[in-house]
Amino acid sequence: MLIGISKTGVQNVGTFAVPIFAFLFGAKYSTGIVLILLCFADLIAVIYYRKKFIWKEVRSMLPFALFGLIIGLFVGEFIDDKAFKFLMGFCILISVLLMLWGINKSKKENGIQDFTKHWWYAPFFGLLVGFSTMIGNAAGPALTIYLLTKKLDKISLVATGAWFIMILNFSKIPLQLFVWKNLTLEGLALNVMAIPFILLGGFLGIKLVKVLPEKEFKIIILSLVIISACMLMIG
């Protein structure tokens, strides 16, 4: 249900599911289970927000994010479960530090727009988003920070994030199936049982994003980024 809410409304609330699944099934194996849940939720989100996303923001990061996927794929092959879990938390922690740095930088430059136009900005966040989504389905915080600094309204932010993550998640399916081999029939059965709860979460997310004011919406998102990072690092 949390994953459904995060895809259609309050982004990053679904990140709470990442440490829970890692605890229950092991860090690396859990990414396969969560991936299919995310793909189900992605479809709900992109169908509902199919006309609200901004393709320019997707296009600027996508090539670098796909490259980040490949880097994460190889790194995940050569580390144990304990190190894998640490990397999951580390990816979100880096996002939080970038958020704080970005806020401070934007104040000094009298406007965040100047800050986001640097040539390295989209490539860096693209690599971070791709790597973190491959390692632990933890791309939400980094992607949220990137889209927030682009000053998108809340509907465009949710829609653009949903389309971007959907492309990455469906790209990960063959990689995790044939390389990591952590997509199983048992995991798929669990995913099927979770569909009603994903649908319920998707419905609640749509309602929440409509009633939450713009300022409070962004405060909630940033707070969830910090909390989810702490959960993973401590866990």
Side-chain angles (χ1 to χ4, degrees), residues 12-131:
N12 296 315
V13 72
T15 308
F16 288 113
V18 173
I20 294 171
F21 275 91
F23 174 75
L24 291 173
F25 300 104
K28 190 172 182 179
Y29 184 72
S30 71
T31 63
I33 296 175
V34 174
L35 175 60
I36 303 302
L37 293 176
L38 292 172
C39 288
F40 283 139
D42 286 332
L43 289 174
I44 298 171
V46 298
I47 289 171
Y48 185 79
Y49 291 118
R50 60 189 179 277
K51 296 181 180 180
K52 304 292 184 180
F53 78 104
I54 301 175
W55 172 246
K56 180 182 71 173
E57 301 299 347
V58 174
R59 185 182 58 208
S60 62
M61 276 204 304
L62 188 58
F64 306 100
L66 293 174
F67 186 59
L69 283 184
I70 302 302
I71 296 174
L73 180 71
F74 282 104
V75 170
E77 274 287 277
F78 299 105
I79 59 176
D80 60 20
D81 203 65
K82 184 177 180 180
F84 198 97
K85 187 179 292 185
F86 176 81
L87 272 179
M88 291 169 74
F90 181 75
C91 287
I92 296 182
L93 181 61
I94 289 296
S95 296
V96 174
L97 294 176
L98 283 170
M99 174 191 66
L100 298 174
W101 174 77
I103 292 172
N104 182 60
K105 184 76 171 177
S106 65
K107 289 179 180 177
K108 289 182 178 180
E109 294 188 1
N110 296 318
I112 209 162
Q113 197 64 29
D114 296 329
F115 164 65
T116 62
K117 287 184 177 179
H118 291 302
W119 65 269
W120 51 266
Y121 192 73
F124 177 79
F125 268 93
L127 285 171
L128 180 61
V129 168
F131 181 82

